[in-house]
Amino acid sequence: MDPKRWCVELNDGYFIPVPGFGTYAPEEVPKSKAADVTKLAINAGFRHIDSAFMYNNEEEVGLAIRSKIEDGTVKREDLFYTSKLWLTFLRPELVRTALEKSLKKLQLDYVDLYIIHYPTALKPGEELLPKDEHGKVIFDTVDLCATWEAMEKCKDAGLTKSIGVSNFNSRQLEKFLNKPGLKYKPVCNQVECHPYLNQSKLLDFCKLKDIVLVAYSALGSQRIKRRVDQSSPVLLDDPVLCAMAKKYEQTPALIALRYQLQRGVVVLAKSYNEKRIKENMQVMSEAVGIGLLKNIFHKCSSL
Ligand code: NAP
């Protein structure tokens, strides 16, 4: 069984491969690294690449994708690339421009999935995080249903195959689902999800509505100092994960990734280390008992 072929069908008929490769790295990591690791990830078998306008690495990730297409490793249609609409572009008239900016950086004709990064609008402009003279973030007032209609137009224009959301709660999702004249449902909701925040209620809601939950920070996040309390427990050191890893002769990371797959969650894994990139792809190997996932995921013929 080819591990690259595992995927789940989205509610618009496209397929999203599991797992996905996360490309975000903090500012201090040289951007060129994003290109190197994306190539390594594709070589290792990842077919789903996750990035965003906000990560400021789409030029490098696009370069890596195009180089792996040029060297014959993959075809464009083998890959599933996700980009995200940043918060300063949530006004409906800015949505298509934002996606076109990403496509220009990527030098691709389309993305496979375009998602609203957060349900929070910020003041439009050049600054990713616009702030006032007191250092406070400047928000914007936008009707997100109008933003969604602009997302639908991007799909109709062929700039993205699928559209979805990120960091939405069930109430925010309901707003879209109940919107009069809704043309396309969100295909996914990408949220923080790991054994310390398992999102079980949101997952039940998403399953009920045929929306795929995509887990980020599934390995416990990069614990970036300015964002994460450094005294909080480290997920991959968790005694239960470590005991399970020992019992099943796997690593804690593989247990954490496999946990998501067994609950029907598409999982992202970020690593900028070749050994760990290869290790993470093992989550789809026979050795980890992939056969058990047959009832959850499809073997996608087009991938
Ligand atoms: P993560 O996947 O939770 O990974 C956290 C850390 O685990 C990485 O820094 C990595 O360090 C380490 N790691 C990876 N594989 C490992 C292994 N096999 N054993 C031990 N350690 C391992 O990181 P994340 O960036 O928080 O989330 C993943 C992706 O989700 C992001 O890159 C981004 O694409 C997306 N994301 C989306 C949002 C959103 O708002 N939608 C928010 C956050 C993240 P090394 O690099 O040193 O291996």
Side-chain angles (χ1 to χ4, degrees):
M1 195 94 57
D2 184 349
K4 296 190 283 292
R5 289 169 180 261
W6 288 97
C7 51
V8 62
E9 188 169 1
L10 299 168
N11 64 35
D12 63 358
Y14 288 105
F15 288 83
I16 184 168
V18 287
F21 179 68
T23 63
Y24 177 73
E27 278 302 301
E28 54 273 22
V29 178
K31 290 293 164 208
S32 58
K33 277 239 157 201
D36 299 341
V37 295
T38 302
K39 285 186 217 164
L40 290 173
I42 294 171
N43 287 343
F46 281 95
R47 294 294 176 262
H48 169 178
I49 314 287
D50 182 86
S51 186
F53 181 80
M54 190 269 187
Y55 300 170
N56 197 19
N57 66 10
E58 287 194 304
E59 270 170 42
E60 291 76 12
V61 173
L63 186 73
I65 289 175
R66 286 180 285 109
S67 101
K68 290 289 60 183
I69 294 171
E70 274 158 30
D71 78 6
T73 308
V74 281
K75 299 195 194 75
R76 174 64 185 92
E77 58 270 27
D78 296 331
L79 290 176
F80 186 100
Y81 176 79
T82 302
S83 185
K84 308 188 187 90
L85 174 68
W86 184 240
L87 318 185
T88 50
F89 297 97
L90 294 197
R91 290 189 186 181
E93 66 274 18
L94 299 178
V95 171
R96 183 176 174 140
T97 312
L99 176 47
E100 285 171 342
K101 273 178 191 265
S102 281
L103 289 171
K104 197 171 169 201
K105 286 185 180 209
L106 291 157
Q107 292 185 45
L108 296 178
D109 299 330
Y110 67 91
V111 299
D112 296 274
L113 176 61
Y114 198 48
I115 60 184
I116 301 179
H117 208 144
Y118 286 89
T120 315
L122 299 181
K123 182 182 156 241
E126 289 304 307
E127 294 296 316
L128 288 179
L129 262 190
K131 291 191 179 154
D132 67 14
E133 65 275 21
H134 308 294
K136 281 196 162 174
V137 172
I138 312 173
F139 293 96
D140 194 20
T141 306
V142 175
D143 172 8
L144 288 182
C145 286
T147 310
W148 186 252
E149 284 165 11
M151 295 281 286
E152 292 178 327
K153 289 194 181 111
C154 289
K155 177 172 162 81
D156 282 338
L159 301 177
T160 179
K161 302 267 184 208
S162 299
I163 49 176
V165 298
S166 178
N167 299 301
F168 274 48
N169 62 31
S170 53
R171 205 164 38 86
Q172 290 157 339
L173 277 168
E174 286 276 20
K175 271 207 143 189
F176 285 3
L177 298 174
N178 298 330
K179 188 184 84 63
L182 178 75
K183 191 164 183 191
Y184 304 116
K185 286 193 336 178
V187 296
C188 75
N189 187 18
Q190 185 184 120
V191 293
E192 180 179 350
C193 185
H194 44 73
Y196 289 168
L197 178 67
N198 69 22
Q199 303 280 16
S200 61
K201 273 169 112 174
L202 185 62
L203 178 59
D204 287 347
F205 175 86
C206 286
K207 283 186 176 170
L208 199 66
K209 304 292 180 184
D210 196 14
I211 293 170
V212 167
L213 196 140
V214 179
Y216 73 72
S217 298
L219 299 171
S221 93
Q222 300 183 45
R223 297 179 64 85
I224 294 168
K225 282 202 177 94
R226 63 183 183 281
R227 293 197 206 136
V228 174
D229 174 0
Q230 299 297 301
S231 66
S232 63
V234 175
L235 178 75
L236 296 184
D237 293 343
D238 182 85
V240 176
L241 275 188
C242 291
M244 289 179 74
K246 200 168 170 206
K247 177 170 172 188
Y248 294 107
E249 298 179 343
Q250 299 296 333
T251 62
L254 284 173
I255 301 286
L257 297 176
R258 178 55 192 263
Y259 161 70
Q260 301 295 356
L261 298 183
Q262 283 191 204
R263 33 198 320 250
V265 168
V266 170
V267 67
L268 301 177
K270 173 263 171 187
S271 178
Y272 270 38
N273 171 284
E274 183 169 10
K275 185 172 158 280
R276 291 190 285 277
I277 290 171
K278 286 183 179 159
E279 175 188 324
N280 294 341
M281 199 53 211
Q282 289 305 307
V283 74
M284 304 309 291
S285 78
E286 295 287 352
V288 192
I290 195 69
L292 291 172
L293 298 178
K294 275 181 190 146
N295 294 334
I296 305 174
F297 298 111
H298 301 260
K299 227 183 98 194
C300 187
S301 55
S302 66
L303 292 170

